[in-house]
Amino acid sequence: MNKIVIASNNQHKINEFNKILGREDVKFISQSELNITEAAETGLTFVENAILKARNACLFSGIPSIADDSGIEVDALSGRPGIYSARYAGDNCDDYANNKLLLKELSNVPFERRNARYHCAIVFLSKHDCSMPKIFNATWEGVIGSKEIGDNGFGYDPLFFLPTLNCTAAELSEDEKNTISHRGKALNLFKKEIKEIILKY
């Protein structure tokens, strides 16, 4: 069986990877199972950070890896928090602190100017020194609400309002979210090519 290490310690992300990419001929292993330390996210873009994480996982596991870097970009904040989404309120912050800070920064911004999008970059590397990583990008458009609504999802999902569905991302079921989310779309792009990718390594 082919093995691919998921370069993440975020259990929510790992669950989404396995749910969307689950195959009988591929076993996805989280880097935490292999005691791999997370790579420092020193890149300036989602793609750069995903490549750093994928290279790190490949180097210390010796097997192909897939990594994701994602976050939310708010137009009224000039694209912030962007690549700093997970640590927006500080290095050891949680989702609650991040959401609280985002609401504070948007407190004087009217709803019609709260346009935002989730961005996801997925990177696959067959080996750590591969010079041609496979890259898959996707976005998910929405609006930042004025309060947290919903108990599903994670991150900024309770604030990420979807006008076409009249609900937040945190009110969607797991299957609904995986079909339309930024990460779901990026992983499905990867999934379309996974058979060819596997054959190459």
Side-chain angles (χ1 to χ4, degrees), residues 73-138:
E73 301 167 323
V74 182
D75 291 346
L77 300 178
S78 301
R80 288 186 292 113
I83 60 172
Y84 304 106
S85 293
R87 52 192 188 278
Y88 192 34
D91 288 338
N92 298 309
C93 63
D94 57 14
D95 291 346
Y96 175 77
N98 285 331
N99 286 334
K100 185 177 179 181
L101 177 58
L102 184 59
L103 286 176
K104 180 181 178 181
E105 294 213 318
L106 292 173
S107 59
N108 295 318
V109 179
F111 182 78
E112 60 269 19
R113 291 187 52 234
R114 289 174 173 239
N115 293 336
R117 73 204 45 79
Y118 271 123
H119 188 122
C120 176
I122 296 290
V123 168
F124 173 84
L125 285 176
S126 57
K127 51 186 179 179
H128 81 275
D129 58 353
C130 174
S131 61
M132 295 291 288
K134 299 288 289 186
I135 300 170
F136 306 88
N137 282 287

Side-chain angles (χ1 to χ4, degrees), residues 7-8 10 12-13 16-17 41 45-51 53 67-73 79 81-88 98 117-123 136-140 154-157 177 181-184 186-187:
S8 176
N10 184 320
H12 293 292
K13 288 186 179 183
E16 288 185 359
F17 271 68
E41 296 181 31
T45 66
F46 293 114
V47 170
E48 287 179 7
N49 279 333
I51 290 174
K53 290 189 272 189
D68 136 279
D69 196 53
S70 53
I72 198 164
E73 301 167 323
I83 60 172
Y84 304 106
S85 293
R87 52 192 188 278
Y88 192 34
N98 285 331
R117 73 204 45 79
Y118 271 123
H119 188 122
C120 176
I122 296 290
V123 168
F136 306 88
N137 282 287
T139 59
W140 191 18
F154 60 99
Y156 298 90
D157 287 355
K177 181 184 177 185
S181 76
H182 55 309
R183 189 172 299 106
L187 285 173

Side-chain angles (χ1 to χ4, degrees), residues 144-156:
I144 303 301
S146 59
K147 63 180 180 179
E148 295 185 55
I149 301 175
D151 300 316
N152 299 327
F154 60 99
Y156 298 90

